[in-house]
Amino acid sequence: MIVRAFIVDGPVTSDAERLLLTREATKKDPRQGPGLVGARVRFEGIVRLEEPRGDAHPGERAAVGELAALAYTAYEPMATGELERIASEVGAAFGVEAIFVLHSRGRVSVGEASFVLIIESAHRGPALRAMSEFIDRMKRDVPIWKMPVWAAKRG
Amino acid sequence: MDPRSDKGGRATARTVLDALRIQHRALAFATDGARLAINQRFAQPDSEVREGDEVALISLVGGG
């Protein structure tokens, strides 16, 4: 199984993703060549315009604010290490062939991608299930934090 | 007893976290629900902290 995880500065762009996949394709074990992988599932996390504000009082429904961006910080190299560890454990549990992860550090504007996860497996089922499990564990265990950068008030 | 060590005189992830909570109450926003990492790996409560270890307070994370 192939596992690769990278923290990139700024948004995860299609160029960064293409570079990773192209580079990894050249390194693949010949036994993992064409024919083994029948499903490639890709998830992209995108910064939304609205985010609950954290200044609501207990019992109050959190107000929603308008974002300009999210600013991500990562505790490195633990963040990359945890992404790889989770990918290895989830990949082994579901029997997938490869997991590639790209996560942002720094500012990511609304509409841009902060996270891309690609999972390859022989059939779609394991890849789809592994995807959900990976994301749940990442949100619980990877030392990456996001801070809202609020949009300037209109008018 | 020194809050930074357990009954056996060892500093552990639990005793370090307890000491932070007791001695630095202003950090409550960060210590509530937080975990410790020792040398870049999440620690179990009874994991020993030795001289020279890198100890990190990992508050609730939020990647993705």
Side-chain angles (χ1 to χ4, degrees):
Chain A
M1 180 177 57
I2 298 169
V3 166
R4 298 287 183 272
F6 294 93
I7 304 283
V8 301
D9 289 317
V12 179
T13 62
S14 52
D15 282 350
E17 186 180 334
R18 198 176 308 119
L19 186 68
L20 168 67
L21 290 177
T22 305
R23 197 172 65 182
E24 292 307 323
T26 63
K27 289 191 209 163
K28 273 191 180 176
D29 185 321
R31 289 168 297 179
Q32 293 174 306
L36 189 62
V37 169
R40 174 182 289 162
V41 181
R42 180 180 179 281
F43 175 89
E44 182 173 316
I46 301 166
V47 177
R48 286 176 295 118
L49 181 67
E50 292 182 337
E51 182 88 351
R53 297 191 73 105
D55 50 5
H57 295 291
E60 268 184 9
R61 192 172 167 182
V64 172
E66 193 167 305
L67 283 178
L70 287 173
Y72 290 90
T73 56
Y75 175 49
E76 280 283 64
M78 185 176 171
T80 301
E82 283 294 301
L83 288 171
E84 289 174 344
R85 184 180 65 79
I86 294 168
S88 295
E89 290 179 7
V90 170
F94 289 90
V96 306
E97 298 300 327
I99 300 186
F100 303 104
V101 192
L102 291 152
H103 198 295
S104 292
R105 170 176 56 198
R107 184 184 169 111
V108 182
S109 297
V110 168
E112 293 179 323
S114 61
F115 169 61
V116 168
L117 174 64
I118 298 163
I119 301 183
E120 295 178 344
S121 60
H123 303 282
R124 71 183 187 281
L128 288 166
R129 290 193 291 275
M131 180 135 303
S132 183
E133 175 72 10
F134 180 94
I135 296 169
D136 286 346
R137 290 188 56 181
M138 178 188 75
K139 286 179 170 291
R140 195 176 64 217
D141 286 339
V142 178
I144 294 176
W145 298 268
K146 58 188 174 192
M147 290 290 291
V149 180
W150 299 111
K153 286 185 179 171
R154 293 180 186 139
Chain B
M1 190 179 83
D2 185 337
R4 291 168 297 183
S5 58
D6 65 10
K7 288 175 184 170
R10 298 182 319 147
T12 64
R14 180 189 288 116
T15 63
V16 170
L17 205 46
D18 286 348
L20 276 173
R21 288 176 174 138
I22 292 165
Q23 296 175 1
H24 302 279
R25 291 181 194 278
L27 289 178
F29 72 93
T31 54
D32 288 350
R35 290 174 285 175
L36 277 196
I38 302 173
N39 298 327
Q40 306 275 328
R41 296 293 299 265
F42 280 116
Q44 296 300 311
D46 62 350
S47 299
E48 189 167 1
V49 180
R50 297 184 174 89
E51 189 171 348
D53 281 347
E54 177 180 319
V55 177
L57 181 68
I58 310 284
S59 58
L60 294 174
V61 300

